[in-house]
Amino acid sequence: MRRFSTAFVAAVALGTALTSVPAEAHPGLASCTADACHFDVPPGTYDVRVTLGGGAASSTSVSGETRRALLPETTAPAGVGRVTRSFTVNVRTPEGEPTGPEGTPGLDLRIGGSAPALAGIRVTPARQTRQIFLVGDSTVCDQSGDPYSGWGQQLPQYLREGVSVANYADSGESTVSYLGNPKLWATVRPLIRPGDLVLVQLAHNDKTTDEATYRANLETLVEGVRARGGQPVLVTPIVRRWFNADGTLNNGTALLVNGLGVDHPAVTRSVAAERDVPLIDLTAKTKALVESLGVEGSKALYLYNEARDNTHTSVRGATAYAGLVRDELVTQRLVPKGTVRVG
């Protein structure tokens, strides 16, 4: 793929949809092919404005970097009409999990959808952006391999220009390891600016962490965010898909009670109440959703069919769970309603 290099501004304007005319036919389109674009920009936060549509009715989605969903499938009518959408994306190294490979330098976008038609694209450095940092484990992170997906990987598609997601969740991490690894908390904390949100969901790997330590670690994360002027938000862990005979998830495996008897969601709720921290009770919300779908219907949310995995989510499950987080961000007024896609 040929690349378009610029340190500050990268822009492409197309007269017709890339799906109908080869990229080579458009002078200056070295940044894009029919299904992908690459911009040689340094790490930072960028606003992306896309114009969608073409001669035929179209339906286009945009993903980027390590399989992040950035724009949900968006329809445009046939003809001269065009649809414009904007979003903000975080570009960093490593581009996915903090302890993973560095990935490709710059910003990579992929054009998808059932009938994609990209008619124009413009990438500019973001001037006023609120970051949502994510601190979590494999159920949250930017998973590199299909069919795995963390809910944090799907969250960006629900946000408009002006709010970006910096997903520093990492597979296999507990509160203990996240605080102790210099690539994790020691890297995230200095990046937090006044007004930024920091969502913390850590529990799945705290299998041998005693209650006092788990509580203290959550408190350390909360105070570390506040010391930087950020807004901590505690998130209880997503449930494991582990049904009782009566069709409920009322058991320690599903509800993240570890081998020492530590009830992670309960401790998280307690710390949130005691420290006056906003709480997203994702345990309760995912429990209700999984139980409503039942034993068979809920399989599609997880990787049961692919790997008999009742912990990690599919793209469908991660998208549904990200939607639950989006709803809470709006309901609790943690982000302005106008910056969130509700459809």
Side-chain angles (χ1 to χ4, degrees):
M1 181 188 300
R2 294 173 298 173
R3 295 180 178 179
F4 177 81
S5 301
T6 177
F8 300 102
V9 178
V12 180
L14 287 67
T16 57
L18 285 174
T19 52
S20 59
V21 181
E24 299 79 47
H26 301 277
L29 294 184
S31 58
C32 292
T33 66
D35 60 0
C37 299
H38 177 93
F39 300 93
D40 278 332
V41 295
T45 307
Y46 296 88
D47 292 332
V48 179
R49 179 186 176 94
V50 294
T51 303
L52 309 174
S58 62
S59 185
T60 309
S61 63
V62 180
S63 61
E65 298 296 89
T66 304
R67 302 176 60 237
R68 298 181 216 160
L70 300 172
L71 182 72
E73 195 146 342
T74 302
T75 60
V80 296
R82 295 288 188 269
V83 172
T84 301
R85 295 289 185 270
S86 299
F87 54 87
T88 302
V89 60
N90 171 257
V91 177
R92 61 182 184 272
T93 303
E95 69 177 36
E97 296 182 73
T99 63
E102 289 192 359
T104 305
L107 171 60
D108 286 289
L109 301 175
R110 281 165 290 283
I111 312 305
S114 57
L118 177 67
I121 184 168
R122 181 175 177 84
V123 177
T124 57
R127 297 184 180 276
Q128 294 182 337
T129 300
R130 189 181 192 189
Q131 295 266 61
I132 300 178
F133 288 92
L134 302 182
V135 170
D137 52 38
S138 59
T139 66
V140 184
C141 76
D142 287 347
Q143 292 277 0
S144 60
D146 184 66
Y148 288 83
S149 181
W151 63 255
Q153 201 164 19
Q154 300 300 323
L155 185 61
Q157 66 184 300
Y158 291 121
L159 303 171
R160 303 179 189 274
E161 181 180 320
V163 181
S164 69
V165 175
N167 191 350
Y168 282 85
D170 196 72
S171 293
E173 306 299 342
S174 65
T175 57
V176 176
S177 63
Y178 203 95
L179 285 168
N181 190 328
K183 293 183 178 181
L184 299 174
W185 184 234
T187 296
V188 175
R189 188 174 180 274
L191 300 176
I192 301 169
R193 303 169 304 181
D196 286 342
L197 291 179
V198 183
L199 276 58
V200 178
Q201 185 216 280
L202 287 166
H204 277 271
N205 299 299
D206 280 280
K207 299 173 184 177
T208 60
T209 308
D210 62 75
E211 182 170 339
T213 301
Y214 184 68
R215 179 181 296 272
N217 289 344
L218 291 180
E219 292 171 345
T220 296
L221 291 164
V222 165
E223 295 311 313
V225 174
R226 285 176 166 167
R228 294 288 302 171
Q231 170 67 72
V233 180
L234 291 177
V235 183
T236 59
I238 68 169
V239 294
R240 295 190 180 101
R241 184 188 161 278
W242 199 267
F243 280 93
N244 297 325
D246 64 359
T248 69
L249 300 178
N250 297 321
N251 60 78
T253 299
L255 301 180
L256 281 295
V257 178
N258 74 8
L260 302 178
V262 180
D263 186 330
H264 294 103
V267 175
T268 304
R269 295 178 190 114
S270 174
V271 172
E274 292 172 4
R275 299 285 175 165
D276 193 25
V277 179
L279 174 76
I280 296 178
D281 197 342
L282 204 51
T283 305
K285 291 186 175 298
T286 56
K287 177 179 183 291
L289 177 56
V290 171
E291 288 182 342
S292 71
L293 292 172
V295 174
E296 290 301 318
S298 62
K299 287 179 179 178
L301 298 180
Y302 291 81
L303 295 173
Y304 179 86
N305 293 323
E306 296 85 353
R308 295 297 188 268
D309 187 333
N310 291 305
T311 297
H312 298 97
T313 48
S314 63
V315 170
R316 177 177 173 180
T319 302
Y321 290 177
L324 297 175
V325 173
R326 179 270 317 269
D327 294 345
E328 282 299 295
L329 292 175
V330 173
T331 298
Q332 299 190 40
R333 299 182 179 179
L334 294 169
V335 297
K337 188 174 182 180
T339 63
V340 176
R341 300 183 200 279
V342 296

